Amino acid sequence: MNIYGVTGWKNSGKTHLMVRLVEEMTRRGLVVSTIKHAHHASDVDHPGRDSFRHREAGAQEVIVASPGRWALMHELRGAAEPPLAELLARLSPADLVLIEGYKREAHPKIEAHRTETGRPLIAPGNTTIRAVASNCAPGGLTVPVLDLDDTSGIADFILKEVGL
């Protein structure tokens, strides 16, 4: 399975870049899946919905299915968050899985960087970052610096890295 990550600090443009990359790569005919890591408790369900009520009643897993999509929700109920490898194993086959977040995992990544965040680059201390996509030209890096707005160029870089 080909995997590649987009990482960076909060408000660095990770999600915007991920969306643009998915659009670009699917336009090129690739099957792309994504995994998004959240540092906070997140919920894809809402109070009052039948599936929410099933989970609140104690169901370990709830599948919601419709003619347009299906979703599986799994309650951890105090258990540890599953490792990235376990989540990847649950995905259907795809040409590429793009992963947002997971700064400390071992897969290759591009760092999204915006000067407005005022945060330092992660790349100098993280060997899994293969390039920086930035809205400025930070110096002193040993990895390529790509224009954060050049979606096609970033997609080309990632696809070359994974051999697609």
Side-chain angles (χ1 to χ4, degrees):
M1 178 179 300
N2 295 306
I3 65 171
Y4 214 90
V6 173
T7 195
W9 299 113
K10 183 177 181 179
N11 297 321
S12 63
K14 297 181 304 289
T15 300
H16 189 60
L17 178 57
M18 285 280 292
V19 169
R20 293 184 352 246
L21 288 170
V22 171
E23 290 171 345
E24 175 70 18
M25 292 176 180
T26 57
R27 184 188 60 73
R28 295 183 188 192
L30 297 171
V31 175
V32 180
S33 293
T34 66
I35 293 180
K36 160 75 171 127
H37 187 258
H39 290 283
H40 49 82
S42 59
D43 206 339
V44 296
D45 208 0
H46 304 285
R49 305 297 300 198
D50 293 347
S51 53
F52 183 91
R53 293 176 61 204
H54 295 185
R55 290 189 304 119
E56 288 295 301
Q60 179 76 17
E61 291 188 328
V62 176
I63 290 179
V64 179
S66 71
R69 73 190 50 83
W70 68 270
L72 168 65
M73 291 175 281
H74 179 93
E75 291 296 312
L76 293 175
R77 305 222 185 270
E81 178 181 344
L84 178 58
E86 186 177 317
L87 298 173
L88 287 165
R90 291 180 174 263
L91 290 175
S92 297
D95 296 316
L96 177 65
V97 178
L98 290 174
I99 300 168
E100 182 177 343
Y102 289 98
K103 287 181 192 77
R104 293 170 191 88
E105 294 289 331
H107 61 279
K109 306 168 192 67
I110 283 188
E111 178 181 355
H113 177 260
R114 298 179 57 76
T115 56
E116 300 86 79
T117 66
R119 301 294 305 259
L121 286 163
I122 300 167
N126 186 327
T127 58
T128 66
I129 294 175
R130 305 287 172 81
V132 171
S134 181
N135 65 345
C136 67
L141 292 172
T142 59
V143 297
V145 177
L146 309 170
D147 182 337
L148 184 58
D149 294 324
D150 182 9
T151 307
S152 180
I154 296 168
D156 289 342
F157 179 86
I158 291 170
L159 295 175
K160 183 178 179 187
E161 283 268 298
V162 299
L164 289 175

